[in-house]
Amino acid sequence: MMTDRPFTFELNAPGFVPSRYDNHIRRTISSMRGQYHDTAAYEAMAAEGDALLYEVYELARPHEAGELLHGISIVHPGRVGDEYYMTKGHFHTVLETAEIYVCLSGQGMMVMETPEGDWAVEALVAGRVLYVPPCWAHRSVNTGDDDLITFFAYPGHAGHDYGTIEQQGFRKLIVARDGRPEIVDNPRWGEKIMRNDE
Ligand code: PAN
Ligand code: ZN
């Protein structure tokens, strides 16, 4: 087995862009079709151009158990209808893999749920560490006026299952009510579950 040398990088650049990275992923409104509950607001926004919603800077590591995939996630501020800009969200393909997030800047919420339907929402503020245990799907939501910036690390063999969330969304949505974030039920989630139960 090849042994890598230890390495460091800095997060001192404006916006916490890492001083070294291998992949820069940019997710725009067109990649979020079906994810926002206000489809009219989504279509109106998508028609105006392919707005940038969030970015990820990844350090490439082998996709193997024992490795840690890590990087910086930046969710920009904004809303589609009353729903804040957010990541797609996912389960890990190897469900029993955890993830750790450190909030570096901004304000937001991590929306989480298990395959059994348990859910949790934790506020993200600068300096806060969030441990996402094995089996919890996770989505970051920017509820503030500035970028929401987090450092993340998860096991190299975890993989990403986006399909489950694409189909039914998360159980809870974070929406603006009187200018403040509120946790509400996702009506679409219930519909799908009922269909699956038939
Ligand atoms: C993070 C996320 C990142 C972007 O690195 O991948 O915040 O979110 P989506 O992958 O849901 O678009 C992570 O949780 N990795 O496992
Ligand atoms: Zn993850």
Side-chain angles (χ1 to χ4, degrees), residues 40-52:
Y42 174 89
E43 293 304 341
M45 213 179 135
E48 278 183 19
D50 207 10
L52 179 64

Side-chain angles (χ1 to χ4, degrees), residues 27 54 56 73 87-90 92 99 101 138 152 154 160 162:
R27 294 257 201 248
Y54 65 100
V56 182
S73 163
T87 60
K88 279 172 177 272
H90 55 264
H92 290 160
E99 182 151 349
Y101 277 86
H138 40 284
F152 60 82
Y154 60 99
H160 291 118
Y162 290 103

Side-chain angles (χ1 to χ4, degrees), residues 34-95:
Q35 297 300 301
Y36 285 97
H37 79 99
D38 186 341
T39 49
Y42 174 89
E43 293 304 341
M45 213 179 135
E48 278 183 19
D50 207 10
L52 179 64
L53 306 189
Y54 65 100
E55 304 177 62
V56 182
Y57 293 91
E58 286 180 339
L59 283 288
R61 297 299 309 164
H63 291 194
E64 291 168 4
E67 290 282 351
L68 290 173
L69 298 177
H70 60 288
I72 295 290
S73 163
I74 302 173
V75 184
H76 296 302
R79 287 193 334 228
V80 176
D82 61 0
E83 218 175 345
Y84 298 96
Y85 283 5
M86 60 192 184
T87 60
K88 279 172 177 272
H90 55 264
F91 285 97
H92 290 160
T93 312
V94 179
L95 202 54

Side-chain angles (χ1 to χ4, degrees), residues 9 25 27 47 49 59 74 80 90-91 96 99 102-103 110 122 144 174-175:
F9 59 93
I25 299 158
R27 294 257 201 248
L59 283 288
I74 302 173
V80 176
H90 55 264
F91 285 97
E96 302 81 6
E99 182 151 349
V102 182
C103 184
M110 189 71 80
E122 289 291 341
I174 310 296
V175 297

